[in-house]
Amino acid sequence: MHTQRTAVLVKPDGMHRGLIGEIISRFERKGLKLVGLKMVQLSDSQLSEWYVEHKDKSFFGDLKSFMSQMPIVAMVWEGIDAIPVVRKLVGTTLGREAEAGSIRGDFSMSQQLNLIHASSSVNDAEREIGIVFKDSELFEYPSVLDQVIYAEYERK
Ligand code: CMP
């Protein structure tokens, strides 16, 4: 049980479909805390770093062109075990097989056009956050929410 930060991107298809508010709302209502938020148009070199694990895959170039076509929304969410919690809210990669109730399960059908990115591990989260956010763009602040979302022993 650790407080974690995780990176989320609303992908171009999520932007086109007007799902920024819906996505933010799902994380808010779960009890996660927003600690970073910006619009950004990712460059080819940022995306090469972001998707380094896919660099040898056949879809690497296509994925980078898809992701760099327009400005997107990048966010950092914080909470206890935030990385797996957000992944569960997002759902599995292939939209048409993703669990109903998850963001992809409720709103997507595709593999590439799956609306949203969420970090998959502590190392990935740190690396991804560093690609898009400066330290000064990430915030620490007390939230009254903490008192009603977590028990006292979980807040220590
Ligand atoms: P995500 O899991 O967020 O990060 C890697 C992305 O690559 C994935 O979402 C999909 O958008 C995309 N992706 C995965 N597999 C394929 C594929 N076979 N063809 C095209 N895009 C893919």
Side-chain angles (χ1 to χ4, degrees), residues 11 51 54 59 63 93 104 111-112 114 116-117:
K11 295 181 177 183
Y51 286 124
H54 298 300
F59 59 84
L63 176 62
T93 304
R104 288 170 174 162
Q111 185 166 46
Q112 184 182 74
N114 60 3
I116 182 168
H117 171 91

Side-chain angles (χ1 to χ4, degrees), residues 8-11 13-14 17 19-30 32 75 77 85-96 98-110 113-118:
V8 167
L9 300 176
V10 179
K11 295 181 177 183
D13 52 319
R17 291 182 53 194
L19 288 171
I20 304 163
E22 171 74 34
I23 287 168
I24 289 178
S25 163
R26 285 178 176 232
F27 297 143
E28 283 180 326
R29 73 186 190 190
K30 178 70 172 167
L32 290 153
M75 299 178 262
W77 290 89
V85 166
V86 166
R87 295 278 289 189
K88 194 165 233 179
L89 293 178
V90 165
T92 50
T93 304
L94 180 57
R96 55 190 175 272
E99 309 80 353
S102 67
I103 294 169
R104 288 170 174 162
D106 286 354
F107 296 102
S108 74
M109 288 292 281
S110 166
L113 279 68
N114 60 3
L115 304 172
I116 182 168
H117 171 91

Side-chain angles (χ1 to χ4, degrees), residues 40-51 131-132:
V40 61
Q41 188 151 10
L42 294 172
S43 65
D44 187 74
S45 71
Q46 282 176 308
L47 286 162
S48 294
E49 224 186 308
W50 191 282
Y51 286 124
I131 292 171
V132 171

